[in-house]
Amino acid sequence: MIYTYAFLKTPEQPLELPEGISGPVALVCAGLLSALVEPNLVWDALQETDDRLLQAVLAHDRVLCVLFQQMPLLPLRFGTRFTSLEDLKSHLESYLDLYLKKLMEVANRAEYTLKLIPPQPVEEPTISAAAQGRAYFLAKKQRIQSQAERQQRQMVELEEVLEAIVAAFPKSKISEVQSEQKTQQVYLLLTQEEYAQIEAFLQTWQELASQWQLVLGEPLPPYHFV
């Protein structure tokens, strides 16, 4: 099995290849396309412990980030393997046009993760222990209504800011959120020129979502755009 990190155009100049998960990495060339591989990686050994598997995942991302600093690439998911070098080369030849097109789409661009962090829950005033009967149930109803209204405002803000983000960057990817209390993530694929203008966009988006905290991450390979 040939462990594979990424696909890229066959480089014209030698690349500085990093150390892989457990050994050296290498390029497998198939005409215009190449693949970054770790030919001697023993996959089953990585799954012996959770810690070893976690370290392998981190090393996989590290290799991609190092190579991404040198040229555009199509990052592959952790665990991608081919049965043989011949199978890998055949795959690159079969999908040559598709992969070249994707490489053109991500060339000179980096992926940025924009996190929209929801506000911390507001501490509601406690209902007086002296409240009884109708007064107690009225106070409880008012507290529930206040919570619902606040959550509704938060969701309206979130919808408005997401619409604004997509309007400014139509190719952005919005992650799914399982709970209203979880952080919403948006993935942006930006050129250097677009990134230079992002502060103005962030200010506008923050005004739309005043209850949310917006945090933009570091440039990464285009994980969510290939």
Side-chain angles (χ1 to χ4, degrees), residues 112 114 168-169 188 190-207 214-218:
Y112 295 84
L114 175 61
F169 300 97
L188 305 171
L190 306 178
T191 62
Q192 290 185 349
E193 291 77 12
E194 290 171 331
Y195 178 73
Q197 303 170 3
I198 200 66
E199 285 298 330
F201 282 107
L202 287 173
Q203 182 176 351
T204 300
W205 297 338
Q206 186 66 80
E207 291 172 357
L214 275 60
V215 179
L216 188 68
E218 297 297 319

PDB file of all heavy atoms in Angstrom, residues 112 114 168-169 188 190-207 214-218:
ATOM      1  N   TYR A 112      -8.820  29.828   4.609  1.00  0.00           N
ATOM      2  CA  TYR A 112      -8.880  30.440   5.935  1.00  0.00           C
ATOM      3  C   TYR A 112     -10.171  30.001   6.620  1.00  0.00           C
ATOM      4  O   TYR A 112     -11.239  30.006   5.999  1.00  0.00           O
ATOM      5  CB  TYR A 112      -8.860  31.967   5.828  1.00  0.00           C
ATOM      6  CG  TYR A 112      -7.586  32.522   5.260  1.00  0.00           C
ATOM      7  CD1 TYR A 112      -7.397  32.596   3.882  1.00  0.00           C
ATOM      8  CD2 TYR A 112      -6.567  32.980   6.096  1.00  0.00           C
ATOM      9  CE1 TYR A 112      -6.220  33.116   3.351  1.00  0.00           C
ATOM     10  CE2 TYR A 112      -5.390  33.501   5.570  1.00  0.00           C
ATOM     11  CZ  TYR A 112      -5.224  33.555   4.195  1.00  0.00           C
ATOM     12  OH  TYR A 112      -4.062  34.060   3.671  1.00  0.00           O
ATOM     13  N   LEU A 114     -12.952  30.877   9.187  1.00  0.00           N
ATOM     14  CA  LEU A 114     -13.568  31.964   9.957  1.00  0.00           C
ATOM     15  C   LEU A 114     -14.501  31.336  10.988  1.00  0.00           C
ATOM     16  O   LEU A 114     -15.471  30.670  10.634  1.00  0.00           O
ATOM     17  CB  LEU A 114     -14.346  32.895   9.032  1.00  0.00           C
ATOM     18  CG  LEU A 114     -15.137  34.022   9.722  1.00  0.00           C
ATOM     19  CD1 LEU A 114     -14.195  34.941  10.485  1.00  0.00           C
ATOM     20  CD2 LEU A 114     -15.966  34.803   8.710  1.00  0.00           C
ATOM     21  N   ALA A 168     -20.238  38.176  -0.436  1.00  0.00           N
ATOM     22  CA  ALA A 168     -18.899  38.709  -0.711  1.00  0.00           C
ATOM     23  C   ALA A 168     -17.979  37.656  -1.315  1.00  0.00           C
ATOM     24  O   ALA A 168     -17.162  37.962  -2.193  1.00  0.00           O
ATOM     25  CB  ALA A 168     -18.287  39.267   0.576  1.00  0.00           C
ATOM     26  N   PHE A 169     -18.135  36.406  -0.858  1.00  0.00           N
ATOM     27  CA  PHE A 169     -17.281  35.310  -1.331  1.00  0.00           C
ATOM     28  C   PHE A 169     -18.171  34.109  -1.660  1.00  0.00           C
ATOM     29  O   PHE A 169     -18.367  33.221  -0.824  1.00  0.00           O
ATOM     30  CB  PHE A 169     -16.238  34.945  -0.269  1.00  0.00           C
ATOM     31  CG  PHE A 169     -15.323  36.071   0.093  1.00  0.00           C
ATOM     32  CD1 PHE A 169     -15.571  36.856   1.218  1.00  0.00           C
ATOM     33  CD2 PHE A 169     -14.234  36.382  -0.700  1.00  0.00           C
ATOM     34  CE1 PHE A 169     -14.742  37.911   1.548  1.00  0.00           C
ATOM     35  CE2 PHE A 169     -13.392  37.447  -0.370  1.00  0.00           C
ATOM     36  CZ  PHE A 169     -13.644  38.206   0.744  1.00  0.00           C
ATOM     37  N   LEU A 188     -13.007  30.031   3.772  1.00  0.00           N
ATOM     38  CA  LEU A 188     -12.819  31.001   2.704  1.00  0.00           C
ATOM     39  C   LEU A 188     -11.563  30.652   1.918  1.00  0.00           C
ATOM     40  O   LEU A 188     -10.510  30.354   2.502  1.00  0.00           O
ATOM     41  CB  LEU A 188     -12.667  32.410   3.279  1.00  0.00           C
ATOM     42  CG  LEU A 188     -13.806  32.902   4.198  1.00  0.00           C
ATOM     43  CD1 LEU A 188     -13.401  34.208   4.858  1.00  0.00           C
ATOM     44  CD2 LEU A 188     -15.088  33.079   3.402  1.00  0.00           C
ATOM     45  N   LEU A 190      -8.996  32.357  -0.393  1.00  0.00           N
ATOM     46  CA  LEU A 190      -8.650  33.740  -0.696  1.00  0.00           C
ATOM     47  C   LEU A 190      -7.292  33.866  -1.386  1.00  0.00           C
ATOM     48  O   LEU A 190      -6.346  33.138  -1.057  1.00  0.00           O
ATOM     49  CB  LEU A 190      -8.602  34.567   0.595  1.00  0.00           C
ATOM     50  CG  LEU A 190      -9.835  34.535   1.497  1.00  0.00           C
ATOM     51  CD1 LEU A 190      -9.583  35.370   2.748  1.00  0.00           C
ATOM     52  CD2 LEU A 190     -11.066  35.035   0.760  1.00  0.00           C
ATOM     53  N   THR A 191      -7.222  34.808  -2.319  1.00  0.00           N
ATOM     54  CA  THR A 191      -5.940  35.213  -2.864  1.00  0.00           C
ATOM     55  C   THR A 191      -5.280  36.167  -1.863  1.00  0.00           C
ATOM     56  O   THR A 191      -5.912  36.621  -0.905  1.00  0.00           O
ATOM     57  CB  THR A 191      -6.117  35.940  -4.200  1.00  0.00           C
ATOM     58  OG1 THR A 191      -6.881  37.140  -3.971  1.00  0.00           O
ATOM     59  CG2 THR A 191      -6.853  35.061  -5.205  1.00  0.00           C
ATOM     60  N   GLN A 192      -4.041  36.500  -2.091  1.00  0.00           N
ATOM     61  CA  GLN A 192      -3.360  37.452  -1.210  1.00  0.00           C
ATOM     62  C   GLN A 192      -4.031  38.819  -1.273  1.00  0.00           C
ATOM     63  O   GLN A 192      -4.123  39.517  -0.257  1.00  0.00           O
ATOM     64  CB  GLN A 192      -1.882  37.564  -1.600  1.00  0.00           C
ATOM     65  CG  GLN A 192      -1.065  36.324  -1.275  1.00  0.00           C
ATOM     66  CD  GLN A 192       0.410  36.509  -1.551  1.00  0.00           C
ATOM     67  OE1 GLN A 192       0.818  37.490  -2.168  1.00  0.00           O
ATOM     68  NE2 GLN A 192       1.223  35.578  -1.087  1.00  0.00           N
ATOM     69  N   GLU A 193      -4.514  39.197  -2.460  1.00  0.00           N
ATOM     70  CA  GLU A 193      -5.192  40.487  -2.608  1.00  0.00           C
ATOM     71  C   GLU A 193      -6.495  40.494  -1.809  1.00  0.00           C
ATOM     72  O   GLU A 193      -6.829  41.496  -1.146  1.00  0.00           O
ATOM     73  CB  GLU A 193      -5.481  40.768  -4.082  1.00  0.00           C
ATOM     74  CG  GLU A 193      -4.245  41.038  -4.929  1.00  0.00           C
ATOM     75  CD  GLU A 193      -3.481  39.768  -5.284  1.00  0.00           C
ATOM     76  OE1 GLU A 193      -4.032  38.653  -5.064  1.00  0.00           O
ATOM     77  OE2 GLU A 193      -2.339  39.877  -5.762  1.00  0.00           O
ATOM     78  N   GLU A 194      -7.248  39.406  -1.856  1.00  0.00           N
ATOM     79  CA  GLU A 194      -8.499  39.329  -1.098  1.00  0.00           C
ATOM     80  C   GLU A 194      -8.231  39.322   0.402  1.00  0.00           C
ATOM     81  O   GLU A 194      -8.973  39.946   1.173  1.00  0.00           O
ATOM     82  CB  GLU A 194      -9.275  38.082  -1.512  1.00  0.00           C
ATOM     83  CG  GLU A 194      -9.851  38.159  -2.909  1.00  0.00           C
ATOM     84  CD  GLU A 194     -10.414  36.845  -3.384  1.00  0.00           C
ATOM     85  OE1 GLU A 194      -9.922  35.787  -2.937  1.00  0.00           O
ATOM     86  OE2 GLU A 194     -11.343  36.853  -4.214  1.00  0.00           O
ATOM     87  N   TYR A 195      -7.173  38.627   0.803  1.00  0.00           N
ATOM     88  CA  TYR A 195      -6.847  38.585   2.226  1.00  0.00           C
ATOM     89  C   TYR A 195      -6.465  39.978   2.742  1.00  0.00           C
ATOM     90  O   TYR A 195      -6.777  40.335   3.883  1.00  0.00           O
ATOM     91  CB  TYR A 195      -5.697  37.610   2.486  1.00  0.00           C
ATOM     92  CG  TYR A 195      -5.283  37.556   3.933  1.00  0.00           C
ATOM     93  CD1 TYR A 195      -6.080  36.924   4.884  1.00  0.00           C
ATOM     94  CD2 TYR A 195      -4.111  38.174   4.359  1.00  0.00           C
ATOM     95  CE1 TYR A 195      -5.714  36.888   6.220  1.00  0.00           C
ATOM     96  CE2 TYR A 195      -3.739  38.145   5.695  1.00  0.00           C
ATOM     97  CZ  TYR A 195      -4.546  37.500   6.612  1.00  0.00           C
ATOM     98  OH  TYR A 195      -4.181  37.478   7.931  1.00  0.00           O
ATOM     99  N   ALA A 196      -5.815  40.773   1.887  1.00  0.00           N
ATOM    100  CA  ALA A 196      -5.420  42.120   2.281  1.00  0.00           C
ATOM    101  C   ALA A 196      -6.632  43.003   2.572  1.00  0.00           C
ATOM    102  O   ALA A 196      -6.524  43.993   3.303  1.00  0.00           O
ATOM    103  CB  ALA A 196      -4.557  42.753   1.190  1.00  0.00           C
ATOM    104  N   GLN A 197      -7.791  42.637   2.022  1.00  0.00           N
ATOM    105  CA  GLN A 197      -9.006  43.421   2.214  1.00  0.00           C
ATOM    106  C   GLN A 197      -9.928  42.834   3.284  1.00  0.00           C
ATOM    107  O   GLN A 197     -10.991  43.390   3.573  1.00  0.00           O
ATOM    108  CB  GLN A 197      -9.785  43.507   0.894  1.00  0.00           C
ATOM    109  CG  GLN A 197      -8.981  44.096  -0.250  1.00  0.00           C
ATOM    110  CD  GLN A 197      -9.684  43.949  -1.595  1.00  0.00           C
ATOM    111  OE1 GLN A 197     -10.803  43.445  -1.660  1.00  0.00           O
ATOM    112  NE2 GLN A 197      -9.038  44.384  -2.651  1.00  0.00           N
ATOM    113  N   ILE A 198      -9.516  41.715   3.881  1.00  0.00           N
ATOM    114  CA  ILE A 198     -10.439  40.975   4.738  1.00  0.00           C
ATOM    115  C   ILE A 198     -10.784  41.722   6.015  1.00  0.00           C
ATOM    116  O   ILE A 198     -11.872  41.541   6.581  1.00  0.00           O
ATOM    117  CB  ILE A 198      -9.863  39.575   5.066  1.00  0.00           C
ATOM    118  CG1 ILE A 198     -10.981  38.619   5.516  1.00  0.00           C
ATOM    119  CG2 ILE A 198      -8.778  39.673   6.116  1.00  0.00           C
ATOM    120  CD1 ILE A 198     -11.974  38.286   4.445  1.00  0.00           C
ATOM    121  N   GLU A 199      -9.893  42.584   6.501  1.00  0.00           N
ATOM    122  CA  GLU A 199     -10.166  43.304   7.742  1.00  0.00           C
ATOM    123  C   GLU A 199     -11.411  44.178   7.615  1.00  0.00           C
ATOM    124  O   GLU A 199     -12.221  44.266   8.546  1.00  0.00           O
ATOM    125  CB  GLU A 199      -8.960  44.159   8.137  1.00  0.00           C
ATOM    126  CG  GLU A 199      -7.795  43.381   8.724  1.00  0.00           C
ATOM    127  CD  GLU A 199      -8.161  42.666  10.014  1.00  0.00           C
ATOM    128  OE1 GLU A 199      -9.033  43.174  10.749  1.00  0.00           O
ATOM    129  OE2 GLU A 199      -7.583  41.598  10.278  1.00  0.00           O
ATOM    130  N   ALA A 200     -11.584  44.807   6.449  1.00  0.00           N
ATOM    131  CA  ALA A 200     -12.766  45.635   6.241  1.00  0.00           C
ATOM    132  C   ALA A 200     -14.026  44.783   6.242  1.00  0.00           C
ATOM    133  O   ALA A 200     -15.066  45.171   6.808  1.00  0.00           O
ATOM    134  CB  ALA A 200     -12.647  46.395   4.920  1.00  0.00           C
ATOM    135  N   PHE A 201     -13.953  43.612   5.630  1.00  0.00           N
ATOM    136  CA  PHE A 201     -15.092  42.705   5.626  1.00  0.00           C
ATOM    137  C   PHE A 201     -15.403  42.234   7.046  1.00  0.00           C
ATOM    138  O   PHE A 201     -16.568  42.166   7.457  1.00  0.00           O
ATOM    139  CB  PHE A 201     -14.818  41.500   4.727  1.00  0.00           C
ATOM    140  CG  PHE A 201     -14.973  41.779   3.265  1.00  0.00           C
ATOM    141  CD1 PHE A 201     -13.871  41.880   2.445  1.00  0.00           C
ATOM    142  CD2 PHE A 201     -16.234  41.941   2.715  1.00  0.00           C
ATOM    143  CE1 PHE A 201     -14.013  42.140   1.093  1.00  0.00           C
ATOM    144  CE2 PHE A 201     -16.401  42.192   1.357  1.00  0.00           C
ATOM    145  CZ  PHE A 201     -15.278  42.300   0.540  1.00  0.00           C
ATOM    146  N   LEU A 202     -14.358  41.894   7.805  1.00  0.00           N
ATOM    147  CA  LEU A 202     -14.561  41.408   9.167  1.00  0.00           C
ATOM    148  C   LEU A 202     -15.260  42.447  10.025  1.00  0.00           C
ATOM    149  O   LEU A 202     -16.125  42.114  10.850  1.00  0.00           O
ATOM    150  CB  LEU A 202     -13.224  41.012   9.794  1.00  0.00           C
ATOM    151  CG  LEU A 202     -12.577  39.721   9.288  1.00  0.00           C
ATOM    152  CD1 LEU A 202     -11.186  39.558   9.894  1.00  0.00           C
ATOM    153  CD2 LEU A 202     -13.447  38.514   9.613  1.00  0.00           C
ATOM    154  N   GLN A 203     -14.899  43.709   9.831  1.00  0.00           N
ATOM    155  CA  GLN A 203     -15.531  44.774  10.603  1.00  0.00           C
ATOM    156  C   GLN A 203     -17.020  44.877  10.276  1.00  0.00           C
ATOM    157  O   GLN A 203     -17.862  45.002  11.174  1.00  0.00           O
ATOM    158  CB  GLN A 203     -14.839  46.107  10.326  1.00  0.00           C
ATOM    159  CG  GLN A 203     -15.406  47.270  11.145  1.00  0.00           C
ATOM    160  CD  GLN A 203     -14.643  48.558  10.920  1.00  0.00           C
ATOM    161  OE1 GLN A 203     -13.605  48.574  10.288  1.00  0.00           O
ATOM    162  NE2 GLN A 203     -15.169  49.642  11.460  1.00  0.00           N
ATOM    163  N   THR A 204     -17.337  44.782   8.984  1.00  0.00           N
ATOM    164  CA  THR A 204     -18.746  44.833   8.568  1.00  0.00           C
ATOM    165  C   THR A 204     -19.511  43.636   9.104  1.00  0.00           C
ATOM    166  O   THR A 204     -20.640  43.778   9.612  1.00  0.00           O
ATOM    167  CB  THR A 204     -18.835  44.873   7.033  1.00  0.00           C
ATOM    168  OG1 THR A 204     -18.163  46.036   6.550  1.00  0.00           O
ATOM    169  CG2 THR A 204     -20.286  44.906   6.578  1.00  0.00           C
ATOM    170  N   TRP A 205     -18.911  42.458   8.995  1.00  0.00           N
ATOM    171  CA  TRP A 205     -19.592  41.245   9.469  1.00  0.00           C
ATOM    172  C   TRP A 205     -19.782  41.279  10.979  1.00  0.00           C
ATOM    173  O   TRP A 205     -20.799  40.820  11.490  1.00  0.00           O
ATOM    174  CB  TRP A 205     -18.791  40.015   9.060  1.00  0.00           C
ATOM    175  CG  TRP A 205     -18.686  39.838   7.564  1.00  0.00           C
ATOM    176  CD1 TRP A 205     -19.529  40.357   6.615  1.00  0.00           C
ATOM    177  CD2 TRP A 205     -17.681  39.111   6.858  1.00  0.00           C
ATOM    178  NE1 TRP A 205     -19.106  39.994   5.356  1.00  0.00           N
ATOM    179  CE2 TRP A 205     -17.976  39.230   5.475  1.00  0.00           C
ATOM    180  CE3 TRP A 205     -16.563  38.378   7.235  1.00  0.00           C
ATOM    181  CZ2 TRP A 205     -17.193  38.632   4.482  1.00  0.00           C
ATOM    182  CZ3 TRP A 205     -15.780  37.784   6.259  1.00  0.00           C
ATOM    183  CH2 TRP A 205     -16.099  37.909   4.903  1.00  0.00           C
ATOM    184  N   GLN A 206     -18.793  41.819  11.695  1.00  0.00           N
ATOM    185  CA  GLN A 206     -18.914  41.895  13.151  1.00  0.00           C
ATOM    186  C   GLN A 206     -20.054  42.813  13.562  1.00  0.00           C
ATOM    187  O   GLN A 206     -20.754  42.559  14.557  1.00  0.00           O
ATOM    188  CB  GLN A 206     -17.599  42.366  13.761  1.00  0.00           C
ATOM    189  CG  GLN A 206     -17.568  42.337  15.285  1.00  0.00           C
ATOM    190  CD  GLN A 206     -17.655  40.934  15.847  1.00  0.00           C
ATOM    191  OE1 GLN A 206     -16.678  40.210  15.891  1.00  0.00           O
ATOM    192  NE2 GLN A 206     -18.853  40.535  16.286  1.00  0.00           N
ATOM    193  N   GLU A 207     -20.262  43.864  12.804  1.00  0.00           N
ATOM    194  CA  GLU A 207     -21.372  44.774  13.092  1.00  0.00           C
ATOM    195  C   GLU A 207     -22.709  44.086  12.867  1.00  0.00           C
ATOM    196  O   GLU A 207     -23.687  44.344  13.591  1.00  0.00           O
ATOM    197  CB  GLU A 207     -21.255  46.023  12.212  1.00  0.00           C
ATOM    198  CG  GLU A 207     -20.066  46.910  12.583  1.00  0.00           C
ATOM    199  CD  GLU A 207     -19.859  48.035  11.589  1.00  0.00           C
ATOM    200  OE1 GLU A 207     -20.605  48.076  10.579  1.00  0.00           O
ATOM    201  OE2 GLU A 207     -18.966  48.866  11.810  1.00  0.00           O
ATOM    202  N   LEU A 214     -16.008  36.943  16.001  1.00  0.00           N
ATOM    203  CA  LEU A 214     -15.465  36.465  14.740  1.00  0.00           C
ATOM    204  C   LEU A 214     -13.955  36.342  14.843  1.00  0.00           C
ATOM    205  O   LEU A 214     -13.271  37.296  15.230  1.00  0.00           O
ATOM    206  CB  LEU A 214     -15.833  37.417  13.589  1.00  0.00           C
ATOM    207  CG  LEU A 214     -17.207  37.208  12.927  1.00  0.00           C
ATOM    208  CD1 LEU A 214     -18.342  37.372  13.925  1.00  0.00           C
ATOM    209  CD2 LEU A 214     -17.386  38.150  11.744  1.00  0.00           C
ATOM    210  N   VAL A 215     -13.432  35.153  14.488  1.00  0.00           N
ATOM    211  CA  VAL A 215     -11.997  34.896  14.574  1.00  0.00           C
ATOM    212  C   VAL A 215     -11.544  34.244  13.269  1.00  0.00           C
ATOM    213  O   VAL A 215     -12.078  33.203  12.872  1.00  0.00           O
ATOM    214  CB  VAL A 215     -11.656  33.972  15.760  1.00  0.00           C
ATOM    215  CG1 VAL A 215     -10.149  33.704  15.803  1.00  0.00           C
ATOM    216  CG2 VAL A 215     -12.134  34.577  17.070  1.00  0.00           C
ATOM    217  N   LEU A 216     -10.573  34.870  12.605  1.00  0.00           N
ATOM    218  CA  LEU A 216     -10.051  34.345  11.341  1.00  0.00           C
ATOM    219  C   LEU A 216      -8.745  33.601  11.591  1.00  0.00           C
ATOM    220  O   LEU A 216      -7.836  34.111  12.251  1.00  0.00           O
ATOM    221  CB  LEU A 216      -9.823  35.487  10.346  1.00  0.00           C
ATOM    222  CG  LEU A 216      -9.457  35.074   8.924  1.00  0.00           C
ATOM    223  CD1 LEU A 216     -10.639  34.386   8.254  1.00  0.00           C
ATOM    224  CD2 LEU A 216      -9.013  36.278   8.110  1.00  0.00           C
ATOM    225  N   GLY A 217      -8.650  32.384  11.052  1.00  0.00           N
ATOM    226  CA  GLY A 217      -7.483  31.544  11.269  1.00  0.00           C
ATOM    227  C   GLY A 217      -6.344  31.821  10.299  1.00  0.00           C
ATOM    228  O   GLY A 217      -6.388  32.744   9.488  1.00  0.00           O
ATOM    229  N   GLU A 218      -5.307  30.988  10.384  1.00  0.00           N
ATOM    230  CA  GLU A 218      -4.106  31.122   9.563  1.00  0.00           C
ATOM    231  C   GLU A 218      -4.317  30.476   8.195  1.00  0.00           C
ATOM    232  O   GLU A 218      -5.208  29.640   8.024  1.00  0.00           O
ATOM    233  CB  GLU A 218      -2.919  30.460  10.267  1.00  0.00           C
ATOM    234  CG  GLU A 218      -2.544  31.097  11.597  1.00  0.00           C
ATOM    235  CD  GLU A 218      -2.096  32.531  11.425  1.00  0.00           C
ATOM    236  OE1 GLU A 218      -1.362  32.819  10.461  1.00  0.00           O
ATOM    237  OE2 GLU A 218      -2.486  33.375  12.254  1.00  0.00           O
TER     238      GLU A 218
END
